[in-house]
């Protein structure tokens, strides 16, 4: 409680401050004995059960993803088997074109550089999603290769 409360105190937001204060009050109540050991055991049991439920859900989601990826690998359709590398090449080509265009625009119109750079920030969500999907694909493909080579 102390560690989480201390972490929340550093966040400059009223909800975080309120939560930090609430955790401090709970910690004080535990220290004074207002919260019994039985209540703490029950809270721990509940937390463990909630974690088990969440892990079970995560296992189910990962199993579904695994089945999907295995179906892709076993597919006779070349597009289905090759979508990951194709997506990677598309993202790389788009990244190169975007960065090249931005560099050219800044070089050719240096007075507009601040506005161009500020506008570039608006592309962060798009690139975040694309690069996130690409990253998961690369990591998963690396894991698939290890398994194919007899790794764990």
């Amino acid at each position: 409680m102390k560690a989480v409360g201390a972490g929340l105190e550093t966040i400059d937001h009223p909800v975080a401050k309120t939560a930090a204060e609430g955790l401090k009050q709970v910690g004080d109540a535990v220290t004074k004995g207002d919260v019994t050991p039985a209540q703490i055991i029950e809270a721990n049991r509940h937390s463990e059960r909630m974690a088990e439920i969440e892990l079970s859900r995560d296992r189910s989601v990962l199993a579904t993803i695994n089945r999907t990826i295995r179906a892709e690998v076993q597919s006779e359709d070349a597009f289905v088997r090759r979508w990951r590398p194709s997506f990677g090449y598309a993202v790389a080509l788009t990244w190169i074109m975007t960065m090249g265009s931005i560099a050219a625009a800044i070089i050719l119109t240096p007075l507009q550089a601040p506005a161009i750079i500020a506008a570039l920030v608006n592309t962060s969500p798009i690139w975040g999603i694309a690069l996130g999907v690409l990253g998961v694909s690369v990591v998963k493909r690396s894991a698939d290769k290890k398994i194919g080579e007899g790794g764990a």
Side-chain angles (χ1 to χ4, degrees):
M1 284 182 273
K2 288 180 183 178
V4 174
L8 288 173
E9 277 184 337
T10 64
I11 299 172
D12 187 23
H13 192 277
V15 174
K17 300 289 184 194
T18 302
E21 180 58 32
L23 284 171
K24 183 176 183 252
Q25 290 174 5
V26 171
D28 292 343
V30 169
T31 302
K32 287 191 244 175
D34 293 342
V35 176
T36 66
Q39 290 172 315
I40 293 171
I41 290 169
E42 179 58 21
N44 287 337
R45 188 203 59 76
H46 179 74
S47 296
E48 289 170 0
R49 181 64 184 135
M50 295 304 294
E52 287 172 9
I53 290 169
E54 192 168 328
L55 287 173
S56 174
R57 182 187 53 87
D58 290 348
R59 258 189 235 109
S60 174
V61 168
L62 289 174
T64 301
I65 291 169
N66 192 11
R67 279 193 306 274
T68 302
I69 291 171
R70 287 180 188 275
E72 289 173 9
V73 170
Q74 294 170 355
S75 174
E76 297 298 322
D77 183 2
F79 178 76
V80 171
R81 285 192 325 266
R82 305 270 184 240
W83 82 267
R84 292 171 201 255
S86 299
F87 183 75
Y89 291 130
V91 169
L93 180 61
T94 305
W95 180 265
I96 290 167
M97 291 172 52
T98 301
M99 294 305 132
S101 300
I102 289 167
I106 289 173
I107 291 168
L108 296 174
T109 58
L111 295 176
Q112 296 298 320
I116 293 169
I117 293 169
L120 183 59
V121 171
N122 293 327
T123 66
S124 294
I126 294 169
W127 283 113
I129 292 168
L131 294 173
V133 169
L134 183 60
V136 168
S137 298
V138 168
V139 168
K140 181 58 188 149
R141 182 64 185 135
S142 297
D144 291 345
K145 286 181 181 178
K146 283 182 185 175
I147 290 170
E149 294 170 356

